[in-house]
Amino acid sequence: GWVQSKIDPAIFFHPATQSIIGLFVDDGTMYCKSEEIAKSLFKAISTNLEFTDLAEGVASLGLSIEGVEDTFKVTMDSYIELMVTKFGLTDAKTTPIPLPTGFSYSEATKKQIAKASSAPYRQLLGSLIYAQQCMFPQLSYAVSILAHYQDSKWGPSHWKALKHALRYATGQISKPLILSANPTGSIEITLITDASFKNPFENGRSEEHTSEL
């Protein structure tokens, strides 16, 4: 039978067939060694629960996962494209960095807040945080900084910076995340650290940030 993961209760293992199923509310994704095993397990599960088979390769929760033998390719192309359309950036150019150069860390003035109050700031921020957690760790610093202003403290410059981060994510669409049980070549880990001795948030403290790639 299925065994629940001790780390994540929404993940279940089937030791006999070496299969995995992940659940999120009413969505689920199953990974099996063969189509025959998948059909057999799906039939067994369907005797007790109502499921709809959406076939292999269909995006789930914004993630598209393609499996070939012991390698998985993960992309969020459809999710990012949906965000681009939703927030009106279909004709915007991509950018090579998550935050614009010269970004001001100051909170917006009352006049600036009023000017940008209609911008769907929290909606775009939430969408970018989800993308960062699933696929783009390089967005971590940008979304953490911009999250400081979500309590009605954003102005036009913060909204522009948030859209800049989305333009960056758009430029990463053609770069899938590859997960393999038998990776080829050497694995290199790059550690990048930077410290700011001037305080961007006027709290009297310097800040240090580290990225592991």
Side-chain angles (χ1 to χ4, degrees), residues 51-131:
F51 272 90
T52 300
D53 187 2
L54 298 179
E56 182 180 359
V58 175
S60 176
L61 303 175
L63 291 168
S64 177
I65 305 174
E66 297 180 16
V68 179
E69 296 182 354
D70 55 1
T71 300
F72 292 96
K73 183 174 74 170
V74 185
T75 62
M76 291 192 79
D77 295 10
S78 57
Y79 180 80
I80 298 299
E81 289 170 354
L82 181 64
M83 288 172 59
V84 167
T85 302
K86 180 179 180 180
F87 295 103
L89 295 177
T90 52
D91 297 324
K93 294 182 179 180
T94 60
T95 178
I97 54 176
L99 269 180
T101 56
F103 173 72
S104 173
Y105 292 89
S106 302
E107 293 181 3
T109 63
K110 290 184 178 180
K111 185 176 181 179
Q112 291 170 335
I113 291 173
K115 190 174 182 180
S117 61
S118 61
Y121 191 90
R122 294 190 186 97
Q123 292 180 8
L124 179 50
L125 177 64
S127 298
L128 284 171
I129 289 176
Y130 179 69

